[in-house]
Amino acid sequence: MYIGTFGNIYSDELITATELNRQPGRVLDKALERPVTITRNDQSFALLRREEVTFLVKAATQSKAVVEALTVAFSLLLGKEIGFEHPYGWLSVFEKDDLQDFINELSEAFRLIDSSTTAWEIIDAIIHEWHESAVAIASPELADAFSAETDEVPLKPPSTQSTF
């Protein structure tokens, strides 16, 4: 299901509540093809397939997360301080070049939502991977491990003769 499918959601067919009561099968058949608006007095109700509603709710929820992540990244680029208590405060561990890369990567993935069935999964993966990188960058244990002197022992080349 693509958002483009709902190009103009209000160009759907109007059905009265009385008509729905008299011919529920016909109305449901129409709702399989496109959204249907059921009117009763001054009220309107949308009749959509559950998969379409699920997609729309997911799109709205995830769009909010994308906008919030991008807002934080842009705010950090502008020099604003974002605390770690913020859901996307972890972005503050990145340098400006990294933030720009994050913005570009997330924006490109977001542009795919109208043409790809996996765009939301890609967006989830991008945010997850960047978050995991931020955790690693902010970890004092990992910083110590990477900066520690190593006691590496060079390996000798394996012999060409078998000792078995």
Side-chain angles (χ1 to χ4, degrees):
M1 173 64 47
Y2 306 122
I3 288 179
T5 302
F6 294 106
N8 185 358
I9 199 165
Y10 295 109
S11 67
D12 54 351
E13 188 165 345
L14 297 176
I15 305 285
T16 65
T18 304
E19 202 174 342
L20 173 63
N21 286 333
R22 288 183 183 154
Q23 300 177 350
R26 186 179 69 82
V27 173
L28 289 173
D29 287 344
K30 287 183 181 196
L32 283 173
E33 298 171 18
R34 63 181 176 279
V36 172
T37 297
I38 301 164
T39 59
R40 181 180 71 184
N41 302 327
D42 290 336
Q43 298 174 324
S44 296
F45 303 89
L47 181 58
L48 304 163
R49 290 180 43 236
R50 184 163 183 88
E51 295 84 17
E52 294 172 356
V53 173
T54 300
F55 177 82
L56 290 172
V57 168
K58 184 175 183 177
T61 302
Q62 289 191 285
S63 293
K64 182 180 176 186
V66 168
V67 169
E68 186 66 23
L70 291 173
T71 299
V72 169
F74 278 117
S75 295
L76 290 166
L77 280 177
L78 294 172
K80 294 182 181 177
E81 291 193 24
I82 307 289
F84 276 95
E85 69 280 354
H86 188 283
Y88 293 98
W90 50 266
L91 285 168
S92 63
V93 303
F94 293 109
E95 301 289 329
K96 288 187 177 199
D97 288 346
D98 293 328
L99 288 171
Q100 192 61 53
D101 289 344
F102 173 77
I103 290 167
N104 291 339
E105 195 174 334
L106 191 55
S107 297
E108 284 300 316
F110 191 67
R111 285 186 192 101
L112 294 175
I113 61 171
D114 204 26
S115 61
S116 170
T117 58
T118 61
W120 291 120
E121 289 79 14
I122 293 169
I123 289 169
D124 286 342
I126 290 169
I127 293 173
H128 176 77
E129 289 169 10
W130 278 87
H131 182 252
E132 291 296 312
S133 295
V135 169
I137 290 169
S139 169
E141 292 84 11
L142 284 176
D144 290 345
F146 284 121
S147 65
E149 292 289 326
T150 59
D151 294 332
E152 292 181 12
V153 177
L155 296 175
K156 296 180 181 176
S159 67
T160 57
Q161 295 179 354
S162 175
T163 58
F164 293 106

